[in-house]
Amino acid sequence: MSEPQERYFTAVDTALERAPHRRTDESWLREQWSNSAEVIFCWRECNLFSIGQEKRPLFLKAAASINALDSIFLGLRPNGGSLFAADLKEQASEADALAFLALTTDQARFVPLRQFDGPLSAEERALLFYSRALTHWHRQLKFCGRCGSPTRADEAGHVMTCTNPNCATKHFPRIDPAIIMLVHSGERCLLGRQAVWPKGFYSTLAGFVEPGERLEEAVYREVKEESGIEVSNIRYFGSQPWPFPHSLMLGFFAKAETDQISRGAELEDVCWFDLSEAKEIVRKFSLRFPHLDPIARRLIRHWVEMTDAGRGV
């Protein structure tokens, strides 16, 4: 029996060099902003995309009216230019945010990343995930969780520091580990659905890792809680950042040791799918999230391909 291998999601989806050693060099950051920087602008947690037949994410030149130190330094592009992220949160409307960038609603729109319906390359997706995670974190961490005082951005936006000198706690970006797993039994796989999802749409089971819990324990627990199925042979497949708002999805395969489903309270339905039904779910994923390539789709697709080939996972 072959081991699961993450064959589609490459080890490095972006050539961006994060250059953490530059984050405390304020004069260098200002120089980069004024000379060669490109910026991923967001507004109300929406990303900026062009309008028309060629819908693309827009990375614009840095705006002179924004202080470099009020933005987030993401890293260095292969051409040597710098890439930043900036939140136009002070703009009251989308039209105001576009006008600030000298754009109109006929040229561009701010769209939630999950609702964008155009193509994205692996690199574009990685950069948008990165910028969205950090801008969301900035919006959420306006106050210190220890003493309640306002925070300020430090280290090019990668640290939020409490402004109370008696506290001065440094806060770092939060990442929530979540496990996502395809449970299989012969030529069947186990999928579930939430009530708010489109009719007929199913996905792999998933859940957050709890304190003091190993990833394998989280896989076993979540499958048992959501379906009543007990599993073994838990094997790692791959990972994906999922900034909605700040998760890291850790993908696994698991072999079912029991058969009878006892659905938990969190899902509307859980059931077994045969090979042909699973292929249809992969197709529905491609229609719903063509630009995000979620790891749930890749887990199901890998299982389909391996099972079709008679090799199994």
Side-chain angles (χ1 to χ4, degrees):
M1 182 175 293
S2 62
E3 290 297 315
Q5 295 179 353
E6 177 48 297
R7 299 183 299 169
Y8 184 81
F9 198 68
T10 56
V12 179
D13 278 322
T14 173
L16 187 75
E17 180 189 348
R18 298 201 176 200
H21 62 289
R22 290 293 193 179
R23 294 172 185 171
T24 57
D25 191 341
E26 295 186 359
S27 61
W28 182 87
L29 291 168
R30 290 192 183 95
E31 181 182 359
Q32 291 296 301
W33 182 269
S34 60
N35 290 341
S36 59
E38 288 185 310
V39 185
I40 301 176
F41 287 101
C42 69
W43 176 76
R44 294 191 178 178
E45 301 195 10
C46 296
N47 287 102
L48 183 64
F49 297 95
S50 63
I51 287 179
Q53 197 167 15
E54 295 293 330
K55 299 177 183 177
R56 307 301 300 155
L58 293 179
F59 300 171
L60 303 181
K61 291 298 181 181
S65 52
I66 297 180
N67 187 331
L69 302 184
D70 291 333
S71 60
I72 303 169
F73 173 63
L74 300 178
L76 296 170
R77 305 296 296 274
N79 62 6
S82 294
L83 185 66
F84 290 76
D87 190 349
L88 302 178
K89 56 183 178 296
E90 303 302 326
Q91 305 300 318
S93 68
E94 181 186 18
D96 290 340
L98 291 171
F100 181 84
L101 301 173
L103 295 170
T104 69
T105 53
D106 294 327
Q107 298 173 307
R109 294 294 304 273
F110 283 97
V111 180
L113 184 52
R114 281 195 285 190
Q115 295 178 19
F116 176 60
D117 59 357
L120 290 176
S121 68
E123 181 176 16
E124 289 168 337
R125 182 169 55 244
L127 292 175
L128 291 174
F129 278 7
Y130 181 20
S131 61
R132 189 191 188 283
L134 284 175
T135 52
H136 174 84
W137 176 62
H138 274 232
R139 292 175 67 90
Q140 295 298 307
L141 202 72
K142 295 179 180 180
F143 299 94
C144 176
R146 178 168 293 181
C147 74
S149 299
T151 58
R152 69 168 185 272
D154 283 331
E155 297 188 26
H158 291 260
V159 175
M160 297 294 280
T161 303
C162 176
T163 56
N164 176 1
N166 295 320
C167 178
T169 299
K170 291 184 177 295
H171 300 273
F172 297 89
R174 173 182 170 183
I175 300 173
D176 292 338
I179 40 87
I180 183 166
M181 47 275 171
L182 185 73
V183 177
H184 56 90
S185 176
E187 293 193 352
R188 300 183 304 166
C189 66
L190 186 71
L191 303 176
R193 63 170 275 108
Q194 296 182 15
V196 297
W197 290 352
K199 184 178 179 180
F201 189 84
Y202 283 74
S203 183
T204 51
L205 306 185
F208 288 104
V209 181
E210 294 188 349
E213 188 173 47
R214 292 186 297 117
L215 297 178
E216 297 83 356
E217 291 172 332
V219 169
Y220 185 92
R221 174 184 55 77
E222 282 288 347
V223 173
K224 181 76 171 177
E225 289 177 0
E226 294 185 351
S227 69
I229 299 295
E230 296 181 0
V231 297
S232 66
N233 198 19
I234 298 168
R235 289 164 295 159
Y236 178 72
F237 172 67
S239 64
Q240 181 182 37
W242 194 247
F244 307 106
H246 35 61
S247 296
L248 176 63
M249 307 302 294
L250 302 154
F252 291 85
F253 288 105
K255 180 182 177 183
E257 292 295 338
T258 58
D259 184 78
Q260 189 66 36
I261 294 173
S262 176
R263 178 178 59 84
E266 295 182 6
L267 297 178
E268 181 185 60
D269 190 28
V270 181
C271 55
W272 291 104
F273 284 70
D274 63 26
L275 191 57
S276 63
E277 293 169 328
K279 290 179 180 178
E280 177 62 15
I281 294 298
V282 173
R283 187 187 71 84
K284 289 180 178 180
F285 257 108
S286 299
L287 294 175
R288 188 180 182 197
F289 299 116
H291 58 302
L292 297 183
D293 194 28
I295 192 170
R297 172 179 175 262
R298 300 201 306 273
L299 280 163
I300 302 170
R301 186 179 63 185
H302 184 77
W303 176 82
V304 165
E305 291 173 351
M306 297 296 284
T307 305
D308 240 350
R311 296 161 61 188
V313 298

